[in-house]
Amino acid sequence: MNMLDLPWATLVTLASGYISYFIANVGLKEHHKPIDIFFSTLIFSLLPTAIYHVTLWGGVNAYAATLPPVLLALPLGALWRKYGRKRLYAFLRKHNISWSDSTHSAWQQMFGLTDYRVTELFVVLKDGSGLLSRLPGRFEGLPNGPFTLGNNGDVILYVTHRSPASSDEWVEYGDVIHQDYGALATYIPADQIARIDIRRRAGKPSGSFSD
């Protein structure tokens, strides 16, 4: 059966629910099973679907009534991601119901901490050398800026300092932003990385995370 053959109200329910689900789980849904996605979509669709039917009862035609639930789905997913998720898990931990946060890995947990500004990102390679992006927020408007943490552990960053394998000293790299050639971003495959250190402080978030 083609999805487009479903009743319009069902399509509105699924579409609005999935929009919220997608926003609420960007970067966190890698381990979700189809059944998780399906029921999460249904749960997120409850309020938008109610708004859809209220709009219909108000005399608006079915197609025009689609707009309010779809628009509602956007902030609904964002609010859950920003506030609801962490408060739910805080409640569960506080009352010793569960200490799990349902993330697939500790690395994935890095994607959800958006209340902090990253001030330094260190990448230590397996050969012992190191790359550092200091105050990466200044690269916010650049491609993949200020940095990108991939779901599989790879990284893109703007390298401001380098450390040779035989030294603990960090040497500043002066041509990250070249007047003639532009900005230099560095991609580091996961299999070359030995360790990643991230220094953060409370404040406006700085970072980019892949889905």
Side-chain angles (χ1 to χ4, degrees), residues 53-97:
H53 287 290
V54 168
T55 307
L56 287 179
W57 292 335
V60 179
N61 70 66
Y63 296 109
T66 302
L67 185 60
V70 170
L71 292 179
L72 175 62
L74 299 171
L76 190 62
L79 288 171
W80 175 258
R81 177 61 177 266
K82 180 71 175 177
Y83 303 107
R85 179 184 177 88
K86 63 183 178 183
R87 291 184 179 179
L88 171 63
Y89 289 120
F91 173 84
L92 296 177
R93 287 193 298 270
K94 179 179 179 180
H95 296 279
N96 291 321
I97 298 172

Side-chain angles (χ1 to χ4, degrees), residues 8-181:
W8 185 255
T10 303
L11 292 176
V12 172
T13 296
L14 295 176
S16 59
Y18 186 76
I19 289 171
S20 292
Y21 163 79
F22 180 85
I23 294 174
N25 292 279
V26 169
L28 302 176
K29 60 183 184 293
E30 179 185 8
H31 66 294
H32 288 186
K33 299 176 182 178
I35 191 68
D36 298 324
I37 298 173
F38 177 73
F39 280 104
S40 294
T41 295
L42 288 183
I43 292 170
F44 276 118
S45 73
L46 292 177
L47 184 56
T49 300
I51 296 299
Y52 172 72
H53 287 290
V54 168
T55 307
L56 287 179
W57 292 335
V60 179
N61 70 66
Y63 296 109
T66 302
L67 185 60
V70 170
L71 292 179
L72 175 62
L74 299 171
L76 190 62
L79 288 171
W80 175 258
R81 177 61 177 266
K82 180 71 175 177
Y83 303 107
R85 179 184 177 88
K86 63 183 178 183
R87 291 184 179 179
L88 171 63
Y89 289 120
F91 173 84
L92 296 177
R93 287 193 298 270
K94 179 179 179 180
H95 296 279
N96 291 321
I97 298 172
S98 173
W99 288 83
S100 172
D101 58 10
S102 297
T103 50
H104 184 57
S105 66
W107 173 251
Q108 193 180 65
Q109 179 57 256
M110 298 291 292
F111 303 162
L113 302 177
T114 58
D115 295 330
Y116 296 85
R117 173 185 289 275
V118 174
T119 56
E120 290 182 323
L121 174 63
F122 298 84
V123 179
V124 180
L125 304 180
K126 290 182 178 179
D127 65 2
S129 62
L131 303 174
L132 164 63
S133 181
R134 180 164 290 163
L135 298 177
R138 54 184 153 154
F139 307 118
E140 179 74 42
L142 299 176
N144 302 114
F147 57 85
T148 297
L149 306 178
N151 271 344
N152 67 349
D154 53 354
V155 176
I156 299 175
L157 74 163
Y158 287 87
V159 178
T160 61
H161 297 73
R162 299 174 184 267
S163 177
S166 58
S167 173
D168 292 330
E169 295 185 4
W170 291 93
V171 179
E172 186 171 2
Y173 182 71
D175 285 335
V176 185
I177 307 295
H178 193 279
Q179 183 176 355
D180 297 322
Y181 304 123

